[in-house]
Amino acid sequence: MMHKYKNSEAKNCLVDKHIVFLGDSRIRQLFYSFIKIINPQVKEEGNKHGNIPFEDKSASIKVDFLWYPEVNGSMRQRIKSWTEGSVAKPHIIVAGAATWSIKIHNGSNEALTQYKINITAIAPLLEKLAKSSDVYWVLQDPVYEDMLSESRKMITNEKIDAYNEAAVRILNSSSRNSKAKVKVFSVSKLIAQETIMKSSDGLHLPESSRDTNAMILMNVYCNKIMKPIDGSCCQPQPPLTLIQKLAFCFFTLSIIGYLIISLIHRNNYRKNKSCTDLEMGEEKKPAINTPNVSTLEMLLHSFCKLGLIMTYFYLCDRANLFMKENKFYTHSSFFIPIVYILVLGVFYTENTKEVMIKLTLCL
């Protein structure tokens, strides 16, 4: 489940934090949607092909958009300045770029090869940053090719998939520590597959999809800090408590004990079940008495049932194995069904004595 953060909650989570969005126009859109969670009054102003700063002084939050439309030497130098300590490291880094490389090089294979070389060069730097900061690499969204202008016709979904595959392969292969690796932000790509048809230019996502991506990004970072009740999507698996461990051991021992006792009783019952008369050569009828069930066996059997029920509840409620959904309570959804049932009960009631007389006459 995704928690919808209010601006006050976002400020509490991001207090004294520095966030950097690094990339092209698509990352700039994500940047605007993200800061609108902090301050809904923000307007999309400023140089589209330049750096855009944002600061919330009340919570000491600083969010910057840095215009780097290509993965090249300039982007590498910026990331390197953070790793060398000459510039303060951001707490969160959101980066991604590819469509400009496809556009200005007319979708050539040489551009893809150079992209692989450049992202291979910055991958170790991103991995180094990921040890102390949260680093997200945003995969490129698909485009709606029918709506692209002539200057963007070379940006095809086939090319975008090739660039995404290269980024995922290189960033994942360079990581040895799974806890410190760069997080690949692929949810934007999945959302775009369903909503890119509503795009105004075929390249950029509609505003509703961008807002959803920003809210997911907020959940990814803040859920482990704020721990909202309805925000289970991005929280780490909670560790088992002492009570849960003791309960697990108790029910496990109960199941093992019940199986052992049942096995012993069954074996004894089978031995005494059939008796053969050796002198007459005839088999006597088996004893009709069932094996006596001891109190201990009945108690262990009950504990086994309780253990299975508790395990089912744990998997459904506490674990992240099954999908969950937000549930909302409203007075109308609660009282309308109750009133409906009461009305039905008033109009569909009969005297039980009359019903019994009718049944008797029918018989």
Side-chain angles (χ1 to χ4, degrees):
M1 295 186 292
M2 183 179 71
H3 178 67
K4 190 173 182 180
Y5 278 88
K6 300 177 182 178
N7 60 337
S8 58
E9 294 175 322
K11 289 180 181 180
N12 289 335
C13 170
L14 302 174
V15 63
D16 296 326
K17 295 291 189 296
H18 181 204
I19 303 103
V20 171
F21 287 79
L22 191 77
D24 54 14
S25 58
R26 289 174 156 186
I27 299 297
R28 184 183 66 241
Q29 286 187 322
L30 184 60
F31 159 78
Y32 273 119
S33 296
F34 187 85
I35 62 176
K36 284 180 181 178
I37 300 175
I38 303 170
N39 183 4
Q41 306 302 323
V42 171
K43 296 181 180 180
E44 298 187 17
E45 299 174 345
N47 184 9
K48 291 186 176 180
H49 294 170
N51 299 340
I52 305 172
F54 169 82
E55 186 175 3
D56 187 285
K57 294 183 179 179
S58 63
S60 300
I61 302 172
K62 186 179 180 182
V63 188
D64 291 320
F65 168 73
L66 304 180
W67 173 252
Y68 287 95
E70 287 192 271
V71 180
N72 53 19
S74 299
M75 180 183 284
R76 183 178 181 277
Q77 283 300 118
R78 169 64 74 168
I79 298 173
K80 189 177 180 181
S81 67
W82 292 327
T83 60
E84 291 180 344
S86 57
V87 181
K89 297 178 183 178
H91 298 91
I92 306 172
I93 301 169
V94 182
T99 53
W100 267 70
S101 298
I102 300 173
K103 178 182 175 181
I104 64 178
H105 296 289
N106 201 28
S108 64
N109 292 328
E110 290 78 8
L112 177 60
T113 303
Q114 187 62 43
Y115 179 84
K116 294 177 181 179
I117 294 172
N118 293 337
I119 202 169
T120 301
I122 70 170
L125 301 176
L126 292 175
E127 293 291 342
K128 189 175 180 181
L129 280 174
K131 293 178 180 179
S132 57
S133 305
D134 284 68
V135 182
Y136 303 93
W137 185 267
V138 182
L139 295 183
Q140 292 298 301
D141 305 329
V143 296
Y144 190 40
E145 298 180 12
D146 295 340
M147 289 188 65
L148 292 174
S149 61
E150 289 298 325
S151 61
R152 294 172 174 169
K153 286 294 184 182
M154 71 290 296
I155 306 176
T156 63
N157 289 323
E158 182 181 357
K159 292 291 183 182
I160 287 176
D161 289 340
Y163 277 72
N164 283 337
E165 289 174 7
V168 172
R169 186 176 66 254
I170 293 169
L171 292 174
N172 284 344
S173 64
S174 62
S175 175
R176 295 183 180 180
N177 184 0
S178 60
K179 293 184 179 179
K181 71 177 181 180
V182 176
K183 302 174 182 68
V184 177
F185 193 75
S186 59
V187 66
S188 177
K189 175 185 173 184
L190 300 176
I191 293 174
Q193 290 174 351
E194 302 295 329
T195 60
I196 193 62
M197 291 76 69
K198 301 177 183 178
S199 170
S200 58
D201 58 5
L203 179 66
H204 300 97
L205 288 177
E207 186 174 1
S208 59
S209 301
R210 287 151 34 196
D211 293 344
T212 302
N213 290 333
M215 191 60 70
I216 293 173
L217 183 61
M218 186 72 73
N219 274 255
V220 170
Y221 182 79
C222 290
N223 280 6
K224 59 181 177 288
I225 300 173
M226 305 299 290
K227 297 180 180 179
I229 297 175
D230 60 342
S232 62
C233 72
C234 310
Q235 292 191 39
Q237 186 71 25
L240 292 175
T241 63
L242 178 61
I243 295 176
Q244 290 172 338
K245 292 177 181 178
L246 292 175
F248 176 77
C249 294
F250 174 76
F251 289 126
T252 302
L253 292 175
S254 298
I255 293 173
I256 294 173
Y258 173 73
L259 292 175
I260 293 173
I261 293 175
S262 297
L263 227 61
I264 294 173
H265 281 191
R266 284 180 178 274
N267 289 335
N268 293 336
Y269 176 66
R270 286 176 181 174
K271 289 178 181 178
N272 300 327
K273 183 179 178 181
S274 57
C275 302
T276 306
D277 190 346
L278 297 177
E279 294 181 359
M280 300 297 297
E282 294 179 357
E283 186 178 345
K284 295 182 179 179
K285 292 182 180 180
I288 57 175
N289 294 329
T290 58
N292 295 326
V293 180
S294 64
T295 306
L296 178 61
E297 187 176 356
M298 292 177 63
L299 185 62
L300 291 176
H301 183 257
S302 300
F303 282 143
C304 290
K305 287 183 178 180
L306 180 59
L308 293 175
I309 294 171
M310 295 295 289
T311 303
Y312 174 76
F313 286 160
Y314 175 81
L315 293 176
C316 292
D317 185 49
R318 299 289 299 167
N320 294 328
L321 299 178
F322 302 105
M323 295 295 292
K324 298 176 177 61
E325 64 179 28
N326 291 318
K327 297 181 176 65
F328 301 96
Y329 168 82
T330 58
H331 292 301
S332 58
S333 63
F334 179 74
F335 286 107
I336 289 177
I338 291 180
V339 172
Y340 179 72
I341 293 171
L342 290 175
V343 171
L344 288 178
V346 170
F347 288 99
Y348 290 91
T349 55
E350 291 187 29
N351 193 333
T352 54
K353 292 183 179 179
E354 294 180 0
V355 174
M356 291 300 295
I357 292 172
K358 290 179 181 179
L359 289 174
T360 305
L361 293 175
C362 292
L363 295 174

